[in-house]
Amino acid sequence: DAKTTQPTSMDCAEGRAANLPCNHSTISGNEYVYWYRQIHSQGPQYIIHGLKNNETNEMASLIITEDRKSSTLILPHATLRDTAVYYCIVRAQTGANNLFFGTGTRLTVIP
Amino acid sequence: NAGVTQTPKFRVLKTGQSMTLLCAQDMNHEYMYWYRQDPGMGLRLIHYSVGEGTTAKGEVPDGYNVSRLKKQNFLLGLESAAPSQTSVYFCASSYWGRGGNQPQHFGDGTRLSIL
């Protein structure tokens, strides 16, 4: 699995867009970029994933660079409930698809 | 639709005791996983299952056993608990859909302390 690099922590003002970067320079052609978050020791929550095209759902947008070596998760209007640890994971969709969770980015949304 | 349910939510054991953690999912998912999470760290895979009656080792399987007798249940056993197994245990499940193995759904965790 490709290794990912994320900043340890970030702050974002409530109501503003939160942009969380992730570097995955060794990503392979069949590997997807997944984002999960974990709110205060709850179980991780799936947010979004993508292969090469930008993706959007009701929670967030995922922007993947053309060379696929990095990506950005965008929470368009951050709320206090978005305070969590965000994990960027790169994994193929074949096989058992177990996930490698690094230490993630701790996002704090500030009132 | 409850999703992934873990039982119990909290437990304190003495060293050497045994116990079983239960994970149940009602989404008819083929794949199920057990992870552990230690303070300040990400999740690490203990064991997983790709279907009823099959199990496989993950990254940190020592000291644990698992069984998948029914598709909806995945049991994690500690035969002789050790303080190093104090952790939060998460169960997850996923299904095989168009494009491959789909994102995992997680339970709320079991907080286990070994004294």
Side-chain angles (χ1 to χ4, degrees), chain A residues 48-57 60-64:
Chain A
I48 198 167
H49 74 288
L51 183 62
K52 55 184 179 181
N53 297 321
N54 297 338
E55 301 286 346
T56 296
N57 62 20
S61 295
L62 173 60
I63 308 298
I64 302 173

Side-chain angles (χ1 to χ4, degrees), chain A residues 30-48:
Chain A
N30 66 337
E31 289 181 318
Y32 286 70
V33 180
Y34 290 83
W35 283 85
Y36 286 76
R37 71 181 182 184
Q38 190 172 23
I39 298 173
H40 194 244
S41 298
Q42 295 177 13
Q45 177 188 26
Y46 164 75
I47 301 172
I48 198 167

Side-chain angles (χ1 to χ4, degrees), chain B residues 39-91:
Chain B
M41 298 180 66
L43 280 71
R44 291 183 293 170
L45 183 67
I46 305 172
H47 286 280
Y48 64 96
S49 168
V50 300
E52 182 178 328
T54 69
T55 63
K57 295 181 179 180
E59 180 186 358
V60 288
D62 294 342
Y64 305 94
N65 58 77
V66 288
S67 64
R68 182 103 181 265
L69 299 179
K70 294 182 179 181
K71 186 177 184 179
Q72 63 269 30
N73 295 335
F74 196 27
L75 279 63
L76 178 70
L78 286 72
E79 292 186 347
S80 180
S84 61
Q85 293 177 305
T86 293
S87 190
V88 181
Y89 292 86
F90 289 101
C91 177

